[in-house]
PDB file of all heavy atoms in Angstrom:
ATOM      1  N   LEU A 460      88.318 119.644 161.883  1.00 26.00           N
ATOM      2  CA  LEU A 460      88.835 118.689 160.833  1.00 26.00           C
ATOM      3  C   LEU A 460      89.704 117.614 161.379  1.00 26.00           C
ATOM      4  O   LEU A 460      90.476 117.835 162.270  1.00 26.00           O
ATOM      5  CB  LEU A 460      89.588 119.462 159.766  1.00 26.00           C
ATOM      6  CG  LEU A 460      88.777 120.604 159.099  1.00 26.00           C
ATOM      7  CD1 LEU A 460      89.672 121.523 158.226  1.00 26.00           C
ATOM      8  CD2 LEU A 460      87.702 120.032 158.112  1.00 26.00           C
ATOM      9  N   SER A 461      89.451 116.408 160.943  1.00 26.00           N
ATOM     10  CA  SER A 461      90.235 115.305 161.252  1.00 26.00           C
ATOM     11  C   SER A 461      90.852 114.666 160.064  1.00 26.00           C
ATOM     12  O   SER A 461      90.415 115.072 158.891  1.00 26.00           O
ATOM     13  CB  SER A 461      89.478 114.241 162.106  1.00 26.00           C
ATOM     14  OG  SER A 461      88.241 113.972 161.476  1.00 26.00           O
ATOM     15  N   PRO A 462      91.728 113.769 160.054  1.00 28.00           N
ATOM     16  CA  PRO A 462      92.345 113.147 158.808  1.00 28.00           C
ATOM     17  C   PRO A 462      91.318 112.696 157.842  1.00 28.00           C
ATOM     18  O   PRO A 462      90.360 112.022 158.164  1.00 28.00           O
ATOM     19  CB  PRO A 462      93.190 111.962 159.259  1.00 28.00           C
ATOM     20  CG  PRO A 462      93.590 112.350 160.711  1.00 28.00           C
ATOM     21  CD  PRO A 462      92.434 113.133 161.247  1.00 28.00           C
ATOM     22  N   ALA A 463      91.434 113.200 156.633  1.00 31.00           N
ATOM     23  CA  ALA A 463      90.664 112.812 155.435  1.00 31.00           C
ATOM     24  C   ALA A 463      89.075 113.386 155.594  1.00 31.00           C
ATOM     25  O   ALA A 463      88.338 112.829 154.963  1.00 31.00           O
ATOM     26  CB  ALA A 463      90.577 111.360 155.218  1.00 31.00           C
ATOM     27  N   SER A 464      88.892 114.401 156.436  1.00 31.00           N
ATOM     28  CA  SER A 464      87.592 114.876 156.600  1.00 31.00           C
ATOM     29  C   SER A 464      87.318 115.920 155.394  1.00 31.00           C
ATOM     30  O   SER A 464      88.135 116.604 155.068  1.00 31.00           O
ATOM     31  CB  SER A 464      87.365 115.672 157.938  1.00 31.00           C
ATOM     32  OG  SER A 464      88.319 116.655 158.011  1.00 31.00           O
ATOM     33  N   PRO A 465      85.944 115.764 154.885  1.00 33.00           N
ATOM     34  CA  PRO A 465      85.687 116.492 153.636  1.00 33.00           C
ATOM     35  C   PRO A 465      85.222 117.943 153.964  1.00 33.00           C
ATOM     36  O   PRO A 465      84.595 118.185 154.877  1.00 33.00           O
ATOM     37  CB  PRO A 465      84.619 115.710 153.020  1.00 33.00           C
ATOM     38  CG  PRO A 465      83.832 115.134 154.253  1.00 33.00           C
ATOM     39  CD  PRO A 465      84.927 114.906 155.276  1.00 33.00           C
ATOM     40  N   LEU A 466      85.544 118.760 152.950  1.00 36.00           N
ATOM     41  CA  LEU A 466      85.045 120.189 153.064  1.00 36.00           C
ATOM     42  C   LEU A 466      84.403 120.359 151.691  1.00 36.00           C
ATOM     43  O   LEU A 466      84.952 120.256 150.633  1.00 36.00           O
ATOM     44  CB  LEU A 466      86.208 121.080 153.235  1.00 36.00           C
ATOM     45  CG  LEU A 466      86.026 122.654 153.095  1.00 36.00           C
ATOM     46  CD1 LEU A 466      85.120 123.016 154.186  1.00 36.00           C
ATOM     47  CD2 LEU A 466      87.306 123.346 153.100  1.00 36.00           C
ATOM     48  N   LEU A 467      83.103 120.652 151.776  1.00 37.00           N
ATOM     49  CA  LEU A 467      82.337 120.766 150.501  1.00 37.00           C
ATOM     50  C   LEU A 467      81.942 122.259 150.272  1.00 37.00           C
ATOM     51  O   LEU A 467      81.509 122.900 151.149  1.00 37.00           O
ATOM     52  CB  LEU A 467      81.041 119.881 150.655  1.00 37.00           C
ATOM     53  CG  LEU A 467      81.152 118.397 151.181  1.00 37.00           C
ATOM     54  CD1 LEU A 467      79.798 117.835 151.271  1.00 37.00           C
ATOM     55  CD2 LEU A 467      82.090 117.768 150.330  1.00 37.00           C
ATOM     56  N   SER A 468      82.058 122.611 149.019  1.00 33.00           N
ATOM     57  CA  SER A 468      81.691 123.978 148.734  1.00 33.00           C
ATOM     58  C   SER A 468      81.445 124.201 147.197  1.00 33.00           C
ATOM     59  O   SER A 468      82.114 123.559 146.442  1.00 33.00           O
ATOM     60  CB  SER A 468      82.907 124.942 149.152  1.00 33.00           C
ATOM     61  OG  SER A 468      82.671 126.287 148.830  1.00 33.00           O
ATOM     62  N   PRO A 469      80.534 125.090 146.861  1.00 33.00           N
ATOM     63  CA  PRO A 469      80.313 125.375 145.493  1.00 33.00           C
ATOM     64  C   PRO A 469      81.490 126.123 144.868  1.00 33.00           C
ATOM     65  O   PRO A 469      82.175 126.854 145.549  1.00 33.00           O
ATOM     66  CB  PRO A 469      79.062 126.258 145.434  1.00 33.00           C
ATOM     67  CG  PRO A 469      79.174 126.862 146.783  1.00 33.00           C
ATOM     68  CD  PRO A 469      79.666 125.848 147.777  1.00 33.00           C
ATOM     69  N   ALA A 470      81.765 125.873 143.587  1.00 34.00           N
ATOM     70  CA  ALA A 470      82.836 126.599 142.874  1.00 34.00           C
ATOM     71  C   ALA A 470      82.219 127.799 142.143  1.00 34.00           C
ATOM     72  O   ALA A 470      81.061 127.893 141.926  1.00 34.00           O
ATOM     73  CB  ALA A 470      83.562 125.606 141.852  1.00 34.00           C
ATOM     74  N   PRO A 471      83.052 128.652 141.738  1.00 32.00           N
ATOM     75  CA  PRO A 471      82.613 129.914 141.142  1.00 32.00           C
ATOM     76  C   PRO A 471      82.329 129.770 139.659  1.00 32.00           C
ATOM     77  O   PRO A 471      82.787 128.832 139.000  1.00 32.00           O
ATOM     78  CB  PRO A 471      83.871 130.834 141.418  1.00 32.00           C
ATOM     79  CG  PRO A 471      84.982 129.933 141.233  1.00 32.00           C
ATOM     80  CD  PRO A 471      84.485 128.606 141.871  1.00 32.00           C
ATOM     81  N   PRO A 472      81.813 130.909 139.003  1.00 30.00           N
ATOM     82  CA  PRO A 472      81.643 130.797 137.594  1.00 30.00           C
ATOM     83  C   PRO A 472      83.060 130.742 136.951  1.00 30.00           C
ATOM     84  O   PRO A 472      83.961 131.407 137.504  1.00 30.00           O
ATOM     85  CB  PRO A 472      81.009 132.223 137.399  1.00 30.00           C
ATOM     86  CG  PRO A 472      80.368 132.589 138.544  1.00 30.00           C
ATOM     87  CD  PRO A 472      81.143 132.002 139.678  1.00 30.00           C
ATOM     88  N   HIS A 473      83.123 130.123 135.900  1.00 32.00           N
ATOM     89  CA  HIS A 473      84.441 129.785 135.383  1.00 32.00           C
ATOM     90  C   HIS A 473      84.893 130.830 134.252  1.00 32.00           C
ATOM     91  O   HIS A 473      85.958 130.888 133.862  1.00 32.00           O
ATOM     92  CB  HIS A 473      84.656 128.462 134.754  1.00 32.00           C
ATOM     93  CG  HIS A 473      83.775 128.250 133.492  1.00 32.00           C
ATOM     94  ND1 HIS A 473      82.439 128.171 133.539  1.00 32.00           N
ATOM     95  CD2 HIS A 473      84.110 128.182 132.233  1.00 32.00           C
ATOM     96  CE1 HIS A 473      81.863 128.110 132.253  1.00 32.00           C
ATOM     97  NE2 HIS A 473      82.931 128.080 131.385  1.00 32.00           N
ATOM     98  N   GLN A 474      83.838 131.609 133.820  1.00 33.00           N
ATOM     99  CA  GLN A 474      84.230 132.497 132.602  1.00 33.00           C
ATOM    100  C   GLN A 474      83.663 133.982 132.905  1.00 33.00           C
ATOM    101  O   GLN A 474      83.410 134.560 131.910  1.00 33.00           O
ATOM    102  CB  GLN A 474      83.764 131.983 131.448  1.00 33.00           C
ATOM    103  CG  GLN A 474      82.289 131.604 131.320  1.00 33.00           C
ATOM    104  CD  GLN A 474      81.857 130.949 129.994  1.00 33.00           C
ATOM    105  OE1 GLN A 474      82.657 130.144 129.537  1.00 33.00           O
ATOM    106  NE2 GLN A 474      80.779 131.258 129.622  1.00 33.00           N
ATOM    107  N   CYS A 475      83.408 134.326 134.103  1.00 32.00           N
ATOM    108  CA  CYS A 475      82.760 135.647 134.236  1.00 32.00           C
ATOM    109  C   CYS A 475      83.633 136.819 134.885  1.00 32.00           C
ATOM    110  O   CYS A 475      83.092 137.726 135.140  1.00 32.00           O
ATOM    111  CB  CYS A 475      81.495 135.372 135.271  1.00 32.00           C
ATOM    112  SG  CYS A 475      80.296 134.260 134.669  1.00 32.00           S
ATOM    113  N   HIS A 476      84.973 136.582 135.007  1.00 32.00           N
ATOM    114  CA  HIS A 476      85.742 137.531 135.475  1.00 32.00           C
ATOM    115  C   HIS A 476      85.862 138.738 134.551  1.00 32.00           C
ATOM    116  O   HIS A 476      86.024 138.390 133.315  1.00 32.00           O
ATOM    117  CB  HIS A 476      87.164 136.983 135.731  1.00 32.00           C
ATOM    118  CG  HIS A 476      87.168 135.774 136.721  1.00 32.00           C
ATOM    119  ND1 HIS A 476      86.433 135.854 137.893  1.00 32.00           N
ATOM    120  CD2 HIS A 476      87.670 134.622 136.606  1.00 32.00           C
ATOM    121  CE1 HIS A 476      86.628 134.677 138.556  1.00 32.00           C
ATOM    122  NE2 HIS A 476      87.307 133.932 137.738  1.00 32.00           N
ATOM    123  N   GLY A 477      85.730 139.814 135.026  1.00 33.00           N
ATOM    124  CA  GLY A 477      85.917 141.065 134.159  1.00 33.00           C
ATOM    125  C   GLY A 477      84.553 141.468 133.647  1.00 33.00           C
ATOM    126  O   GLY A 477      84.513 142.584 132.862  1.00 33.00           O
ATOM    127  N   GLU A 478      83.493 140.830 133.797  1.00 33.00           N
ATOM    128  CA  GLU A 478      82.166 141.080 133.259  1.00 33.00           C
ATOM    129  C   GLU A 478      81.765 142.518 133.747  1.00 33.00           C
ATOM    130  O   GLU A 478      81.069 143.275 132.946  1.00 33.00           O
ATOM    131  CB  GLU A 478      81.168 140.024 133.542  1.00 33.00           C
ATOM    132  CG  GLU A 478      79.821 140.198 132.776  1.00 33.00           C
ATOM    133  CD  GLU A 478      79.983 140.089 131.369  1.00 33.00           C
ATOM    134  OE1 GLU A 478      80.902 139.326 130.895  1.00 33.00           O
ATOM    135  OE2 GLU A 478      79.225 140.694 130.652  1.00 33.00           O
ATOM    136  N   ALA A 479      82.012 142.707 135.089  1.00 34.00           N
ATOM    137  CA  ALA A 479      81.548 144.000 135.539  1.00 34.00           C
ATOM    138  C   ALA A 479      82.162 145.116 134.864  1.00 34.00           C
ATOM    139  O   ALA A 479      81.549 146.199 134.618  1.00 34.00           O
ATOM    140  CB  ALA A 479      81.883 144.097 137.080  1.00 34.00           C
ATOM    141  N   ASP A 480      83.410 145.125 134.495  1.00 34.00           N
ATOM    142  CA  ASP A 480      84.120 146.210 133.862  1.00 34.00           C
ATOM    143  C   ASP A 480      83.404 146.500 132.490  1.00 34.00           C
ATOM    144  O   ASP A 480      83.220 147.611 132.068  1.00 34.00           O
ATOM    145  CB  ASP A 480      85.568 145.906 133.571  1.00 34.00           C
ATOM    146  CG  ASP A 480      86.443 146.007 134.861  1.00 34.00           C
ATOM    147  OD1 ASP A 480      85.934 146.741 135.766  1.00 34.00           O
ATOM    148  OD2 ASP A 480      87.478 145.509 134.922  1.00 34.00           O
ATOM    149  N   ARG A 481      83.111 145.450 131.736  1.00 31.00           N
ATOM    150  CA  ARG A 481      82.344 145.529 130.423  1.00 31.00           C
ATOM    151  C   ARG A 481      81.065 146.187 130.579  1.00 31.00           C
ATOM    152  O   ARG A 481      80.626 147.046 129.911  1.00 31.00           O
ATOM    153  CB  ARG A 481      82.330 144.246 129.792  1.00 31.00           C
ATOM    154  CG  ARG A 481      83.699 143.691 129.239  1.00 31.00           C
ATOM    155  CD  ARG A 481      83.481 142.562 128.345  1.00 31.00           C
ATOM    156  NE  ARG A 481      83.001 141.393 129.026  1.00 31.00           N
ATOM    157  CZ  ARG A 481      83.716 140.475 129.614  1.00 31.00           C
ATOM    158  NH1 ARG A 481      85.026 140.668 129.676  1.00 31.00           N
ATOM    159  NH2 ARG A 481      83.147 139.406 130.018  1.00 31.00           N
ATOM    160  N   GLN A 482      80.312 145.810 131.607  1.00 32.00           N
ATOM    161  CA  GLN A 482      79.032 146.310 131.960  1.00 32.00           C
ATOM    162  C   GLN A 482      79.130 147.850 132.271  1.00 32.00           C
ATOM    163  O   GLN A 482      78.270 148.651 131.744  1.00 32.00           O
ATOM    164  CB  GLN A 482      78.246 145.559 133.026  1.00 32.00           C
ATOM    165  CG  GLN A 482      77.864 144.154 132.725  1.00 32.00           C
ATOM    166  CD  GLN A 482      77.446 143.282 133.849  1.00 32.00           C
ATOM    167  OE1 GLN A 482      77.524 143.823 135.066  1.00 32.00           O
ATOM    168  NE2 GLN A 482      76.861 142.174 133.586  1.00 32.00           N
ATOM    169  N   CYS A 483      80.035 148.163 133.076  1.00 32.00           N
ATOM    170  CA  CYS A 483      80.169 149.564 133.559  1.00 32.00           C
ATOM    171  C   CYS A 483      80.645 150.445 132.369  1.00 32.00           C
ATOM    172  O   CYS A 483      80.198 151.586 132.179  1.00 32.00           O
ATOM    173  CB  CYS A 483      81.243 149.694 134.690  1.00 32.00           C
ATOM    174  SG  CYS A 483      80.589 149.097 136.258  1.00 32.00           S
ATOM    175  N   LEU A 484      81.407 149.892 131.477  1.00 33.00           N
ATOM    176  CA  LEU A 484      81.839 150.693 130.402  1.00 33.00           C
ATOM    177  C   LEU A 484      80.646 151.048 129.462  1.00 33.00           C
ATOM    178  O   LEU A 484      80.387 152.067 128.935  1.00 33.00           O
ATOM    179  CB  LEU A 484      82.834 149.806 129.505  1.00 33.00           C
ATOM    180  CG  LEU A 484      83.316 150.565 128.231  1.00 33.00           C
ATOM    181  CD1 LEU A 484      83.961 151.846 128.506  1.00 33.00           C
ATOM    182  CD2 LEU A 484      84.269 149.618 127.447  1.00 33.00           C
ATOM    183  N   SER A 485      79.692 150.067 129.387  1.00 31.00           N
ATOM    184  CA  SER A 485      78.479 150.329 128.642  1.00 31.00           C
ATOM    185  C   SER A 485      77.672 151.386 129.307  1.00 31.00           C
ATOM    186  O   SER A 485      77.084 152.262 128.621  1.00 31.00           O
ATOM    187  CB  SER A 485      77.611 149.052 128.560  1.00 31.00           C
ATOM    188  OG  SER A 485      78.264 147.982 127.959  1.00 31.00           O
ATOM    189  N   TRP A 486      77.551 151.388 130.635  1.00 34.00           N
ATOM    190  CA  TRP A 486      76.764 152.453 131.339  1.00 34.00           C
ATOM    191  C   TRP A 486      77.439 153.891 131.084  1.00 34.00           C
ATOM    192  O   TRP A 486      76.797 154.799 130.784  1.00 34.00           O
ATOM    193  CB  TRP A 486      76.781 152.266 132.849  1.00 34.00           C
ATOM    194  CG  TRP A 486      75.734 151.203 133.210  1.00 34.00           C
ATOM    195  CD1 TRP A 486      76.064 149.945 133.600  1.00 34.00           C
ATOM    196  CD2 TRP A 486      74.401 151.351 133.401  1.00 34.00           C
ATOM    197  NE1 TRP A 486      74.765 149.328 133.997  1.00 34.00           N
ATOM    198  CE2 TRP A 486      73.827 150.208 133.798  1.00 34.00           C
ATOM    199  CE3 TRP A 486      73.490 152.503 133.094  1.00 34.00           C
ATOM    200  CZ2 TRP A 486      72.397 149.988 134.144  1.00 34.00           C
ATOM    201  CZ3 TRP A 486      72.136 152.238 133.364  1.00 34.00           C
ATOM    202  CH2 TRP A 486      71.717 151.004 133.702  1.00 34.00           C
ATOM    203  N   LEU A 487      78.658 153.871 131.099  1.00 33.00           N
ATOM    204  CA  LEU A 487      79.500 155.147 130.847  1.00 33.00           C
ATOM    205  C   LEU A 487      79.234 155.731 129.509  1.00 33.00           C
ATOM    206  O   LEU A 487      79.091 156.893 129.268  1.00 33.00           O
ATOM    207  CB  LEU A 487      80.911 154.921 131.172  1.00 33.00           C
ATOM    208  CG  LEU A 487      81.341 154.641 132.598  1.00 33.00           C
ATOM    209  CD1 LEU A 487      82.791 154.351 132.617  1.00 33.00           C
ATOM    210  CD2 LEU A 487      80.925 155.781 133.550  1.00 33.00           C
ATOM    211  N   GLU A 488      79.275 154.755 128.537  1.00 32.00           N
ATOM    212  CA  GLU A 488      78.959 155.173 127.182  1.00 32.00           C
ATOM    213  C   GLU A 488      77.478 155.682 126.991  1.00 32.00           C
ATOM    214  O   GLU A 488      77.272 156.665 126.298  1.00 32.00           O
ATOM    215  CB  GLU A 488      79.241 153.921 126.221  1.00 32.00           C
ATOM    216  CG  GLU A 488      80.720 153.639 126.159  1.00 32.00           C
ATOM    217  CD  GLU A 488      80.896 152.372 125.365  1.00 32.00           C
ATOM    218  OE1 GLU A 488      79.966 151.566 125.132  1.00 32.00           O
ATOM    219  OE2 GLU A 488      82.102 152.076 124.959  1.00 32.00           O
ATOM    220  N   ILE A 489      76.604 154.988 127.656  1.00 30.00           N
ATOM    221  CA  ILE A 489      75.192 155.407 127.475  1.00 30.00           C
ATOM    222  C   ILE A 489      75.004 156.769 128.074  1.00 30.00           C
ATOM    223  O   ILE A 489      74.246 157.668 127.500  1.00 30.00           O
ATOM    224  CB  ILE A 489      74.240 154.401 128.295  1.00 30.00           C
ATOM    225  CG1 ILE A 489      74.157 153.153 127.479  1.00 30.00           C
ATOM    226  CG2 ILE A 489      72.889 154.815 128.336  1.00 30.00           C
ATOM    227  CD1 ILE A 489      73.556 151.956 128.195  1.00 30.00           C
ATOM    228  N   TRP A 490      75.628 157.125 129.222  1.00 35.00           N
ATOM    229  CA  TRP A 490      75.545 158.420 129.840  1.00 35.00           C
ATOM    230  C   TRP A 490      76.350 159.457 129.196  1.00 35.00           C
ATOM    231  O   TRP A 490      76.434 160.597 129.686  1.00 35.00           O
ATOM    232  CB  TRP A 490      75.661 158.299 131.296  1.00 35.00           C
ATOM    233  CG  TRP A 490      74.535 157.637 132.021  1.00 35.00           C
ATOM    234  CD1 TRP A 490      73.282 157.629 131.656  1.00 35.00           C
ATOM    235  CD2 TRP A 490      74.548 156.837 133.244  1.00 35.00           C
ATOM    236  NE1 TRP A 490      72.501 156.841 132.461  1.00 35.00           N
ATOM    237  CE2 TRP A 490      73.307 156.405 133.430  1.00 35.00           C
ATOM    238  CE3 TRP A 490      75.562 156.532 134.066  1.00 35.00           C
ATOM    239  CZ2 TRP A 490      73.027 155.533 134.599  1.00 35.00           C
ATOM    240  CZ3 TRP A 490      75.307 155.753 135.167  1.00 35.00           C
ATOM    241  CH2 TRP A 490      74.033 155.229 135.462  1.00 35.00           C
ATOM    242  N   GLY A 491      77.229 159.030 128.162  1.00 29.00           N
ATOM    243  CA  GLY A 491      78.043 160.025 127.584  1.00 29.00           C
ATOM    244  C   GLY A 491      79.203 160.527 128.390  1.00 29.00           C
ATOM    245  O   GLY A 491      79.594 161.656 128.262  1.00 29.00           O
TER     246      GLY A 491
END
Side-chain angles (χ1 to χ4, degrees):
L460 300 169
S461 50
S464 56
L466 171 65
L467 313 179
S468 175
H473 69 289
Q474 58 184 33
C475 300
H476 304 310
E478 189 65 30
D480 283 339
R481 291 192 292 273
Q482 292 174 346
C483 285
L484 180 60
S485 297
W486 281 105
L487 296 175
E488 290 173 345
I489 289 172
W490 287 333

